[in-house]
Amino acid sequence: MKINMETPVQNTWCPGCPDFLILSAAKKAVSELVESKQAKHTDFVATTGIGCHGKIYDFINVGGFYGLHGRAIPVANGIVLGNPNLKVMVFAGDGDAYAEGISHFVHSARMNPNYALFVHNNKIFALTTGQMTPTTEKGFKGKSTPKGAPFIPMNPISIALEFGASFVAREYAVDIKNLTKTMKAAIKHKGFAFIDILQPCLSFHDFTEYVGKRIYRFKGPLEYTKAMKKAKEWDYSMNPKAKIPMGIFYKERRQTLEEAVDSKTWHTAHPKRKINARLWDSFKV
Amino acid sequence: MEFQITIAGEAGQGIARSADLISRDFVSRGLYVFNYRDYGSLIRGGENFNLLRISNKPVYSNNWKSDFALVFGRFSGHHLKKLNMGGTSIGTLPGVKTSFNTHDMLKKIGAPSISANSILLGALYKAMDQPLNNLMTQMNVFGKHAGINKKAAQLGYDQYGGQVKPISFSKGKGPRYFVSGSEAVAYGAVSSGLDLYLAYPMTPATPVLHLLANLKNQDIRAVQLENEIGVINAALGAGYAGATTMIGTSGGGYALMGEALSLQGMSEIPLVVYMAMRPGPATGIPTYTGQGDMKFVVNGGHGDYSKVVIAPGDPLEAFERTTEAFYLSQKYRVLNVILSDKHLAESNYTFDKKPVVKVKPQRFLTKPGKNFKSYKVTADGVSPRAAAGTSLVRATSYEHDEFGYTTEDRGIANTMIEKRLRKARTLEKAVSKLSPVKTYGTGDNLVISWGSTKGAILDAIKEVKGTKFLQIVYLKPFPSSRVKTLIEKSKNVVIVENSATGQIADLIAENTGHSASKKILKYDGRPFGQKELVAKLRRAFK
Ligand SMILES: Cc1ncc(C[n+]2csc(CCOP(=O)(O)OP(=O)(O)O)c2C)c(N)n1
Ligand SMILES: [Mg+2]
């Protein structure tokens, strides 16, 4: 049965924005999983941060939680604690996940909640009209850094590996075929499945040419030390000599957050709770 | 019959445990014990003390002078000056009336140094002329270490040759419950159908995290997360998924949660926050008490939205009111703050009653059909709530239409803002049925207060003739008309608050137009003592 992935909301992304490609890949991944009966439509839930990426909440027909800037990840942590059966997709921006919400990003990698995290990495704060983020290359001239971004970029792939993410991948929004495939794998992975999706911002930071010329695919997942080595091949700078590896760096099955705390689908596990004022009796001396 | 015991020593010397043993003994014999805990922000060394006020009538506060003092810390000498006339002291320090060389005594019976407190407890029982076997029974909590501690207690009892001030009373009848505010909130929450408790440790809220994490035979989970921002956002995620969720913190953590408190207002996901105050600003005095965060909590969160703030005054109320917090937050999809403080959270009170619960805990979840309206516009402002996964349920931080889709449309924005604000009136009606204020005593003098000051006030007004006490339990929605009428009926009005500015006066002025200029304030991190407050009230009403 074909499912409806469309919403009635008018799209407000810039024409040609690779966010459209991430949206189509996500819709495709979800509908394929539902149509092949691997999941129920109503099981899917998207959480988003605030930024251009966050608008995906309005454009994809799944349950959704449009959170605060930087907080798509902790909201998702709560969702899986509240109902471990939901299939959660977290759509975050690079500003979201790596600046405002970096603490949630690194600690969730350790805690290993079962959801897929898709970071729309345009190396820019797009919705606020073009300021540097933690993945912006040093020297980038933006409105807040007219003399060039003063800091070196961070590498979210090696950081995710260092903090114990159990699925780590990099994809390019323009390569929608591979993106869809890896997204599906991430949704199916049990644990914290992270994809850093390179998404050039046509309005404020168009690195299409730089990335397009340098990407290459490798056969993953790799063994941990090799994955780390591969992750460090590109440091998110605009080094002309760099090569950018694309694919799944690392994957392991490890106890998830929900498994660790033995969480339940609470409202069905306990549809009705009776008042238990008898608990007061335990204070009896 | 009333007396007070001080037990003072260094952190790690078993002060709190000793206080607990004595308390439980007297409570088990039908007396009322109030146990005040005073400790610093340290793990070893420094000074801790407990004050046990014990009476054959209910007592809800302590005094600052005792009749018996057990002092065995290097830094506890100052307690010797805080004895009532005829009081006696026992300990290891020079200057105490009866001094013990616990080191040598313990060596003789081969007991570890931690058992020094058992020697002093034994001596105390002799000084009070109380049967030692009662204490021995309580010592069974030591498990395999019970034997050696009983031996130490016997030694102290036998070797005590000091002043004896016999305590005599007839055994009280009926059940007695000995409980702290933390225990009451934790168990009240479990009774209300709690599924998840999320927190990042912060004194004085931490005991609730510990209690719930160690609770057995209850199907709830307590999870410590990465920080307070993570905690509150996760709580909203869990609520969206259908779980009944509570989070806990103190002022600093509550400040970090600020943005997401406002997200609660927009997303309308039920949330209960246990907020236990300590003196600020900033790190302040972490292990002491204060009520200075009240206005911050009542006003917190950016934007206009409805919320509920409840301030229970003692553990019995904390249990009852916690059930109301869950009920209101689930039914009306609002933020509900249980406002407590260190004094209520960490003092133990004795009750002879069980809580009376006025509400029935429910999830208030509907079974949604297709095309579910997560934010349906209704007359009372309350949209039926569904759990994520039961339909395509939406929750959002943006202004939205009935389905939860983002909008910037003027008309829809107005409709939705007004829908949310209609809940304020709906809540006022609901809260008016839940005794949002309580009054005690009669007279033209009116004491107005809220929260943990209740104990000292109840104990004090018995000795201040013609005094009525108005306890404001619901700070939001504010019970304006009840407060207004009572103020207008009284001759003298005085505010009592554990803060530097008397914030309740501002709330009263804002909601009733009455200014209460007379204030009894205390802001050194310590609660009001009973006698201290009697003196201050008498002066205020002169
Ligand atoms: C707490 C907070 N700070 C700042 C903002 C303003 N803000 C909105 S979007 C955004 C940046 C978004 O960048 P990113 O997450 O990379 O998303 P993009 O727009 O690039 O997709 C910022 C800073 C906000 N909404 N909330
Ligand atoms: Mg960005």
Side-chain angles (χ1 to χ4, degrees):
Chain A
M1 195 189 70
K2 270 241 164 294
I3 60 161
N4 175 29
M5 292 303 299
E6 307 303 316
T7 67
V9 184
Q10 192 199 333
N11 196 303
T12 52
W13 280 326
C14 303
C17 177
D19 273 338
F20 281 101
L21 304 173
I22 299 176
L23 172 63
S24 346
K27 284 180 180 169
K28 200 153 186 280
V30 172
S31 52
E32 282 178 15
L33 288 169
V34 174
E35 281 155 20
S36 62
K37 298 216 158 59
Q38 296 182 66
K40 275 201 340 243
H41 189 185
T42 46
D43 284 346
F44 279 93
V45 164
T47 78
T48 69
I50 298 296
C52 290
H53 68 275
K55 290 168 180 274
I56 204 166
Y57 162 93
D58 282 309
F59 308 147
I60 184 164
N61 192 34
V62 292
F65 192 131
Y66 207 154
L68 297 167
H69 179 52
R71 319 298 171 200
I73 290 173
V75 164
N77 290 345
I79 293 175
V80 296
L81 286 173
N83 180 352
N85 293 325
L86 293 174
K87 298 235 168 296
V88 185
M89 300 179 290
V90 183
F91 296 92
D94 50 322
D96 232 62
Y98 308 148
E100 194 78 293
I102 182 74
S103 60
H104 313 305
F105 174 66
V106 294
H107 292 294
S108 300
R110 290 171 47 229
M111 297 190 279
N112 202 32
N114 179 25
Y115 54 68
L117 166 63
F118 307 131
V119 178
H120 301 220
N121 188 354
N122 49 13
K123 298 167 115 254
I124 199 85
F125 284 163
L127 193 59
T128 48
T129 69
Q131 302 83 5
M132 65 170 175
T133 70
T135 45
T136 304
E137 64 279 5
K138 189 170 190 293
F140 168 81
K141 284 201 169 72
K143 287 180 191 154
S144 65
T145 51
K147 289 187 197 149
F151 316 125
I152 56 162
M154 68 173 247
N155 181 339
I157 301 285
S158 60
I159 284 177
L161 285 169
E162 184 60 46
F163 273 84
S166 62
F167 180 113
V168 181
R170 183 192 288 128
E171 286 297 346
Y172 183 35
V174 176
D175 182 359
I176 187 164
K177 221 166 140 188
N178 277 310
L179 175 61
T180 310
K181 216 169 116 191
T182 307
M183 271 185 161
K184 259 171 88 174
I187 293 168
K188 284 162 97 172
H189 174 72
K190 217 162 165 56
F192 183 83
F194 161 57
I195 314 179
D196 187 57
I197 306 171
L198 299 178
Q199 174 240 335
C201 171
L202 307 188
S203 296
F204 301 111
H205 196 190
D206 188 356
F207 48 83
T208 316
E209 200 185 297
Y210 176 84
V211 168
K213 276 192 184 149
R214 288 169 180 80
I215 53 172
Y216 76 95
R217 292 203 77 78
F218 63 91
K219 204 167 154 353
L222 306 168
E223 176 275 319
Y224 185 82
T225 43
K226 286 195 179 125
M228 194 56 119
K229 212 167 151 212
K230 179 81 50 200
K232 298 212 166 156
E233 279 181 22
W234 183 48
D235 61 4
Y236 286 74
S237 71
M238 290 295 202
N239 175 0
K241 287 195 202 114
K243 286 259 176 240
I244 308 178
M246 310 299 284
I248 301 171
F249 290 81
Y250 185 71
K251 186 170 139 88
E252 70 170 318
R253 173 71 172 98
R254 200 175 77 237
Q255 186 185 52
T256 64
L257 168 66
E258 313 85 280
E259 287 166 346
V261 307
D262 184 26
S263 207
K264 303 221 159 94
T265 300
W266 295 104
H267 68 283
T268 56
H270 300 288
K272 284 198 196 92
R273 273 263 167 92
K274 266 198 260 135
I275 184 96
N276 188 358
R278 266 174 315 169
L279 276 172
W280 183 261
D281 287 337
S282 56
F283 303 128
K284 204 161 164 175
V285 176
Chain B
M1 192 280 299
E2 180 189 317
F3 64 102
Q4 184 168 297
I5 305 169
T6 297
I7 305 161
E10 288 169 41
Q13 280 187 330
I15 303 305
R17 172 63 87 185
S18 303
D20 199 56
L21 294 175
I22 302 171
S23 301
R24 285 179 192 282
D25 172 28
F26 284 108
V27 173
S28 74
R29 292 190 273 155
L31 293 190
Y32 297 83
V33 179
F34 180 83
N35 174 12
Y36 167 70
R37 268 187 87 197
D38 192 300
Y39 65 99
S41 190
L42 44 87
I43 307 302
R44 287 283 181 270
E47 200 221 0
N48 286 1
F49 66 92
N50 283 57
L51 301 175
L52 302 178
R53 185 162 165 234
I54 302 171
S55 170
N56 57 355
K57 296 204 190 68
V59 278
Y60 306 113
S61 59
N62 57 280
N63 276 308
W64 298 112
K65 281 190 172 173
S66 291
D67 304 289
F68 299 91
L70 287 193
V71 282
F72 45 119
R74 281 171 294 168
F75 315 108
S76 300
H78 63 103
H79 289 287
L80 301 177
K81 284 185 243 131
K82 293 169 196 150
L83 282 174
N84 286 321
M85 285 269 284
T88 195
S89 56
I90 305 166
T92 53
L93 291 178
V96 293
K97 290 203 182 140
T98 307
S99 170
F100 285 95
N101 183 342
T102 51
H103 182 80
D104 290 357
M105 289 165 79
L106 290 171
K107 218 162 154 193
K108 225 185 283 168
I109 58 168
S113 60
I114 182 74
S115 296
N117 57 355
S118 297
I119 293 179
L120 300 190
L121 283 175
L124 172 70
Y125 267 59
K126 182 73 173 281
M128 298 189 296
D129 190 24
Q130 292 300 304
L132 192 60
N133 60 338
N134 283 347
L135 178 69
M136 302 276 203
T137 311
Q138 297 301 327
M139 281 186 163
N140 288 334
V141 294
F142 290 132
K144 64 175 192 249
H145 303 297
I148 195 72
N149 280 292
K150 288 179 185 179
K151 224 175 183 175
Q154 188 69 53
L155 201 60
Y157 188 89
D158 294 343
Q159 294 201 5
Y160 181 76
Q163 181 190 351
V164 174
K165 273 190 69 181
I167 302 293
S168 68
F169 58 92
S170 48
K171 203 169 175 241
K173 278 200 203 76
R176 294 286 185 273
Y177 305 92
F178 190 59
V179 50
S180 70
S182 307
E183 290 169 326
V185 168
Y187 283 38
V190 176
S191 286
S192 312
L194 181 75
D195 297 317
L196 284 172
Y197 184 73
L198 307 176
Y200 184 85
M202 186 166 188
T203 307
T206 313
V208 169
L209 172 62
H210 293 174
L211 281 161
L212 292 173
N214 289 286
L215 204 60
K216 294 195 180 81
N217 309 321
Q218 293 290 341
D219 212 357
I220 63 133
R221 301 289 178 270
V223 187
Q224 180 185 326
L225 291 173
E226 71 273 22
N227 53 41
E228 286 88 348
I229 300 176
V231 163
I232 186 167
N233 283 280
L236 292 171
Y240 166 70
T244 300
T245 310
M246 177 164 84
I247 59 179
T249 189
S250 187
Y254 197 78
L256 287 174
M257 291 176 177
E259 191 189 18
L261 294 167
S262 172
L263 169 60
Q264 189 296 317
M266 185 57 109
S267 66
E268 302 186 74
I269 296 165
L271 178 63
V272 177
V273 185
Y274 168 57
M275 158 64 184
M277 294 176 287
R278 63 196 218 184
T283 307
I285 324 176
T287 57
Y288 285 84
T289 201
Q291 298 183 305
D293 298 341
M294 189 267 275
K295 283 211 287 188
F296 175 59
V297 169
V298 167
N299 297 325
H302 56 291
D304 282 322
Y305 65 99
S306 312
K307 60 167 121 37
V308 180
V309 180
I310 312 179
D314 60 41
L316 185 76
E317 261 179 14
F319 191 101
E320 295 169 344
R321 301 297 186 169
T322 297
T323 62
E324 294 171 17
F326 278 91
Y327 176 84
L328 294 170
S329 105
Q330 309 259 104
K331 182 163 185 189
Y332 302 108
R333 301 178 58 168
V334 288
L335 171 69
N336 203 317
V337 184
I338 301 163
L339 190 58
S340 180
D341 59 20
K342 183 265 164 188
H343 187 54
L344 171 55
E346 302 211 48
S347 302
N348 299 85
Y349 299 63
T350 311
F351 297 94
D352 50 24
K353 293 195 280 263
K354 289 189 180 210
V356 179
V357 175
K358 292 187 182 158
V359 293
K360 217 175 116 215
Q362 287 161 71
R363 289 185 184 275
F364 296 103
L365 285 167
T366 51
K367 278 214 182 81
K370 265 198 163 164
N371 297 321
F372 176 65
K373 287 182 172 170
S374 302
Y375 296 101
K376 190 175 158 68
V377 176
T378 57
D380 62 1
V382 184
S383 314
R385 169 183 173 228
T390 55
S391 179
L392 301 185
V393 180
R394 287 177 174 270
T396 174
S397 68
Y398 262 100
E399 192 53 88
H400 47 268
D401 65 14
E402 286 189 292
F403 292 99
Y405 290 123
T406 308
T407 187
E408 291 173 354
D409 179 276
R410 286 156 58 182
I412 301 175
N414 275 332
T415 304
M416 297 314 277
I417 292 164
E418 287 157 14
K419 173 194 98 83
R420 289 190 295 272
L421 291 182
R422 274 203 297 284
K423 286 205 292 194
R425 240 171 303 139
T426 309
L427 279 167
E428 268 170 41
K429 261 193 249 156
V431 164
S432 70
K433 294 185 192 120
L434 296 171
S435 316
V437 304
K438 293 221 150 192
T439 55
Y440 310 83
T442 51
D444 292 338
N445 295 330
L446 184 68
V447 177
I448 306 180
S449 194
W450 60 278
S452 74
T453 49
K454 175 186 175 183
I457 296 171
L458 283 186
D459 288 352
I461 58 169
K462 288 182 204 147
E463 295 177 29
V464 186
K465 268 205 206 104
T467 303
K468 183 186 261 183
F469 166 37
L470 164 63
Q471 181 201 3
I472 304 177
V473 182
Y474 275 78
L475 298 166
K476 200 172 176 83
F478 193 81
S480 309
S481 62
R482 293 288 310 278
V483 174
K484 193 161 185 268
T485 323
L486 270 162
I487 291 179
E488 285 165 4
K489 274 204 241 158
S490 306
K491 249 202 210 127
N492 304 306
V493 177
V494 66
I495 300 282
V496 173
E497 195 174 279
N498 241 181
S499 82
T501 55
Q503 301 183 359
I504 193 72
D506 293 352
L507 216 61
I508 292 170
E510 185 186 325
N511 288 286
T512 69
H514 285 297
S515 59
S517 51
K518 232 185 233 176
K519 298 172 185 170
I520 297 175
L521 305 176
K522 187 168 184 180
Y523 41 87
D524 57 3
R526 277 70 177 171
F528 289 99
Q530 180 252 349
K531 291 204 171 95
E532 173 191 4
L533 192 56
V534 168
K536 284 177 173 164
L537 285 172
R538 282 190 180 142
R539 219 173 305 139
F541 288 136
K542 209 154 57 192

